[in-house]
Each structure stands twice: as C-alpha cells, then as structure tokens.
Amino acid sequence: MSAALHTLGVAELGRSLDEGRISSIEITTHLLARSASHSDLGAFLCVNEEGAMAQARAADARRAAGERGALLGVPLAHKDIFVTESLPTTAGSKILAGYRSPFDATVVARLAAAGTVTLGKLNCDEFAMGSSNENSAYAPVRNPWDRTRVPGGSSGGSAAAVAARLLPAATGTDTGGSIRQPASFSGVTGIKPTYGVCSRYGMIAFASSLDQAGPLARSAEDCALLLSAMSGFDERDSTSAQRPRQDYHAALSTAREGATAARPLAGLRIGLPREFFPAALAADVEGAVRAALQGLERLGATLVDVSLPRTELSIPVYYIIAPAEASSNLSRFDGVRYGHRAAKYGDLMDMYKKTRAEGFGAEVKRRIMIGTYVLSHGYYDAYYLQAQKLRRMIADDFQACFAQCDLIAGPVAPSVAWRLGEKDDDPVAAYLADIFTLPASLAGLPGMSLPAGFGEGGMPVGLQLIGNYFHEGALLHAAHAFQQASDWHRRLPQGF
Ligand code: GLN
C-alpha cells in the first residue's frame, strides 16, 4: 500500500487510521521522505522531521487508547505566516530570519489539538504580498504541473505541496486571493471563509481588515474537515466572529429542499456577474469555467445573470487599502523586537533604516511607500477615505446580487499560471490579475476555488464560488456536489 499512501486525502486518511490500516508514523515517514525527494519544488521553508515523528507517535498512542477524530494523526503543514513556537517563522522575509515565536497561532494550536502532525512550514510571498510566490525572500516555488511556471501566491508553497501530494492539506491565508488563486493555479481546492471565522491571532498581519486563514486541500470535503477544526471564536482576536463552532463536514450531506440524488443542487440559484466574464478573459479559462457551470446546472442549479459593477475598481481600492494597512503593520519590524538587525549602524534612526533596507524585499518596500503616501496628510482624504467609501459600495453590490441568487460563480483568475519571471518587470500586471478575487476580499465574503478543468499548456483552471456572509456550509455543499460528479480534483500532475 505504501507506494500510494500519498494519494490519500484527509478524509480517506482519517478512515484508514481509524480502521487501523495504517499508522500516523507510517504516513508521516512516507510524506517526509516524499518532501525530501521533491525539494526542488521549493514548497517547504522548514521541515519538522523530529517534531513530526513525535507528534505522529503521540497521535498513534491517542488512537491506541481509543480516541477517534477525523484529523487525529493526519499530517499537514502551515504557511510560514502562522507563528509557531517549535519551528522558525519567517513570513517569507529576511527581516524575520532567526525569529522564534513564544507562542503558536490559534489556527496552528487548534489543528494541533485536533491531533494533526506538522510536517513543516511552507514557502510564501514575503508577508503574503504577491500572486506568484516569486516575492519570497528565500526561493521561488515551482508549479508541479509545469516547473517553469509559478504555483500562484501568496500561499504558493501550500498549493504546490498539496498538488504534488507532498501532504494531504495545508493552511493558507487570503488577503486578496492568496488561497483561491494558488489553489486555481495549482489544481487544488481552497476556501477563504468569511472575515472573522478563523482567528488572526498569531497570523503575521499584512492587511488586518482583509486577512483570513483557510485550508488548501484536495477536495471540498477535506477543506470542510480542516475548516471545522481551524475556525471558531477566539477572544484573542478582536475581529473574531462570535458564533458557535460549526461542523462544516455535516453541511456537505445536508440535503436541500427539493433535492434528489441526481440533482443535489435543485433550487440553488448561482449568479454569474457579467463583469467576471470580460472580453479580456482568456478563452481557455472561460471555456473551462463555462463547462463547470454547465456541470452545476446538470446537478440542478439555475444560472442567473447578475452584476458587480465595481469589479474593476476593486483593484485600485485594494491596492490603496492593503498597502495602507501593511505600512502600519510592518512598522513593528524595526530591528529591536524581532529577527534581523543590521550589523553596522550609527544612531537609532540609522539602525532602523539599515535594518529595514536590508530586511525587506522590493515588493514589501513598494507597498510600505504606497501605504505611507496614501495615509499621509493631504492624501488621506483623496485616496484612503475614497477607497474606504468604494469598499462599502462593493460590499453593497454583493448584497444586491444575493437578493437574486444564493451563490456567485466565475473564474478565479483571468489566465492560467504564468511563467516564472514573466511579470518581474511589471508589478501592476500582477495586481491586475487579482481582479476576480479582490471583490469578495474587500466585502469580507467567503470564497472558494475548485479545480474545473485545464487550459493552455495543460495548466489547471479553477472555478470560484462566492457565498454570502457565513455561508461557508453552502459553498462547501455545492463544491462537494460538483466534486462527487467530476474528477478534476483527482487529477495528478505528471511525475507525481
Ligand atoms: N495578490 C494579492 C496581493 O499581492 C493578494 C495577496 C494575498 O491575498 N495575501 O496583495
């Protein structure tokens, strides 16, 4: 069985562990060896060899003592933006080189309490700023479907590792698309819940009003298992939603009124914003997305035309608000409290300047400058305040849509994964590619990406589903129904 162990997803692994067909030690050993043999992908920033074996042993002991749990003994890894007590945390930045957190992020702690085994920390764009993982200060991540292409970002290590079957699932964060877009580029399933569903405690802040954690996995079912464990109120995050813990897995099999086995989505109205299908949308992406929508129709869903008229404006709005918050959040990296400090400096101001000049990469510096500019006296009203007003209008546009439909669907990104280096000289080109993920981020709505086919160069194409606030269950239910009737999410990149 061992050769195929890595093909097991979270749910299947949980069952195999329950039935005693494998042990956590076996799967952990297998996956550690597998990550080592695929280290050229650059997915891991740190591998937790000894720690993972100890956790696997502990999980096996808990099972031997009669304990059961869907995640008990299941290996995964965390995006390196979640702080961890026993492993280094870099946020993909040189400025945090050598940093050790005195505590675990809530998401990490909750998954550990559920009995997961942490295989390591995963590569990401520096402070989660990017869409290709090329802004990591350590190494680019390669897309397992084509090593000359990017895996998407900023949760690129998470997406590539899941796609390459180095692990069944991983955590990620999404500020403007960083779970959905890499999931789409790498052919895996990912969900960004409603803002406030997962605690941001211990998640290194990029843009606090937008940052959300979520899982990347093989399927909606696996995402549901992870999200149930990761989410829930946390008094240590003042923006955490005060709601009872949810069982997202149970939502998968909750039958809709009027549904039948063949038409599980009967009565579900799916809105297609016309702005999500512009003329500039790549034909291969549009083709795959439209075919997936037909698949949803066959399952009983009805497609309705809706409009999100400010879709294009979400780019300038996001690229004002996110840098503004980032410039403030990143002021804490000053050479005094965390990680790197310049070796040679004169006075205190000089130490700050040298530390930050050495520690931050080009994209992070660009955003600190933009953010400082839009928040400065005289520009605050013209840029930041205007952006905040538009943000509210974008959120209102969604509510107008949800009067006509239950879920919204469209592409995740305007094209398939691009080639490494392709957008190096043009950061704005990368910003523009965020067009379909930013609206839901600005509105704080849940969104997911699921494999929907293949496009140019045999690269995966993702379908995006967006729900109303706290409708993660409905999103996962629809995605699960789609995955029960299709096998895009089971496809493996060649050589894996
Ligand atoms: N691509 C977007 C950015 O560069 C989103 C990143 C994210 O969601 N963390 O900011």
Side-chain angles (χ1 to χ4, degrees):
M1 175 163 190
S2 141
L5 271 186
H6 52 266
T7 61
L8 299 176
V10 175
E12 292 160 306
L13 253 180
R15 280 192 293 271
S16 302
L17 287 161
D18 266 348
E19 289 159 13
R21 279 186 277 131
I22 53 164
S23 66
S24 181
I25 285 281
E26 259 177 278
I27 181 70
T28 301
T29 310
H30 179 75
L31 293 180
L32 284 170
R34 190 167 164 82
S35 322
S37 62
H38 290 292
S39 58
D40 62 306
L41 288 175
F44 279 87
L45 285 179
C46 125
V47 176
N48 184 28
E49 237 163 285
E50 277 175 35
M53 293 305 280
Q55 291 164 1
R57 235 172 276 124
D60 284 338
R62 280 166 69 176
R63 271 187 195 277
E67 195 177 331
R68 292 289 175 266
L71 300 180
L72 185 55
V74 173
L76 47 67
H78 297 294
K79 181 177 182 178
D80 202 21
I81 197 121
F82 292 96
V83 301
T84 41
E85 201 181 332
S86 61
L87 297 170
T89 303
T90 68
S93 182
K94 287 267 188 271
I95 210 157
L96 278 174
Y99 172 65
R100 249 343 216 288
S101 167
F103 64 94
D104 279 334
T106 297
V107 160
V108 169
R110 288 197 174 159
L111 286 168
T116 61
V117 171
T118 306
L119 294 182
K121 303 291 288 287
L122 297 162
N123 206 343
C124 59
D125 282 305
E126 186 173 3
F127 289 104
M129 298 178 190
S131 320
S132 66
N133 218 111
E134 291 166 289
N135 296 335
S136 163
Y138 295 96
V141 176
R142 296 180 182 276
N143 192 314
W145 295 90
D146 175 348
R147 284 179 159 84
T148 69
R149 302 203 193 220
V150 303
S154 63
S155 313
S158 308
V162 174
R165 305 315 194 233
L166 305 186
L167 33 75
T171 54
T173 61
D174 191 310
T175 301
S178 281
I179 288 174
R180 290 162 286 161
Q181 186 258 20
S184 175
F185 278 16
S186 300
V188 303
T189 306
I191 182 165
K192 172 201 100 78
T194 307
Y195 182 77
V197 161
C198 287
S199 170
R200 291 186 297 107
Y201 183 72
M203 210 172 99
I204 294 176
F206 161 14
S208 312
S209 76
L210 294 152
D211 298 342
Q212 251 307 282
L216 292 100
R218 316 263 170 84
S219 66
E221 181 181 19
D222 289 0
C223 283
L225 289 169
L226 267 289
L227 190 60
S228 302
M230 293 163 70
S231 58
F233 176 67
D234 178 11
E235 62 184 12
R236 287 170 300 187
D237 170 6
S238 62
T239 58
S240 173
Q242 297 216 23
R243 304 170 74 243
R245 289 284 289 263
Q246 306 286 312
D247 181 352
Y248 297 107
H249 195 255
L252 302 179
S253 48
T254 309
R256 300 177 51 80
E257 213 183 288
T260 59
R263 293 170 64 81
L265 302 184
L268 185 77
R269 295 164 306 163
I270 298 181
L272 308 183
R274 68 182 70 99
E275 296 79 6
F276 277 30
F277 296 89
L281 180 62
D284 56 339
V285 172
E286 177 160 8
V289 167
R290 294 232 187 250
L293 292 170
Q294 283 172 5
L296 290 165
E297 265 185 312
R298 279 194 296 276
L299 295 170
T302 317
L303 305 180
V304 295
D305 288 324
V306 293
S307 175
L308 287 169
R310 293 173 186 85
T311 296
E312 268 189 41
L313 283 174
S314 65
I315 299 170
V317 168
Y318 172 88
Y319 280 99
I320 287 170
I321 293 174
E325 294 186 19
S327 70
S328 168
N329 274 326
L330 270 55
S331 64
R332 63 171 65 93
F333 303 105
D334 57 4
V336 178
R337 288 168 285 190
Y338 312 94
H340 175 75
R341 178 183 299 173
K344 286 200 189 112
Y345 52 87
D347 61 4
L348 181 65
M349 191 53 76
D350 191 47
M351 189 279 281
Y352 290 157
K353 284 184 185 163
K354 292 213 167 88
T355 297
R356 288 167 67 87
E358 291 168 12
F360 289 137
E363 183 60 26
V364 173
K365 286 177 183 158
R366 184 178 297 125
R367 296 197 192 198
I368 291 173
M369 286 191 276
I370 294 171
T372 307
Y373 178 83
V374 300
L375 289 176
S376 58
H377 182 73
Y379 295 108
Y380 183 93
D381 290 1
Y383 295 105
Y384 186 70
L385 215 58
Q386 284 296 99
Q388 289 292 14
K389 288 179 184 167
L390 275 161
R391 180 178 188 178
R392 165 48 66 97
M393 291 164 100
I394 289 166
D396 289 346
D397 290 343
F398 272 106
Q399 291 313 308
C401 286
F402 286 126
Q404 301 163 62
C405 61
D406 307 298
L407 298 179
I408 287 170
V412 177
S415 73
V416 295
W418 55 81
R419 292 191 187 282
L420 281 149
E422 196 179 312
K423 296 196 200 290
D424 270 1
D425 304 326
D426 190 0
V428 175
Y431 298 173
L432 293 175
D434 291 338
I435 183 162
F436 303 130
T437 50
L438 298 180
S441 298
L442 289 165
L445 292 165
M448 67 182 297
S449 172
L450 48 153
F454 295 90
E456 180 247 315
M459 298 307 290
V461 175
L463 171 75
Q464 182 175 209
L465 293 176
I466 299 169
N468 211 341
Y469 298 111
F470 303 112
H471 288 197
E472 287 76 18
L475 274 184
L476 290 162
H477 178 270
H480 181 62
F482 179 77
Q483 293 185 334
Q484 296 292 99
S486 62
D487 73 346
W488 300 118
H489 63 294
R490 290 204 189 85
R491 306 290 182 89
L492 270 167
Q494 229 179 1
F496 293 92

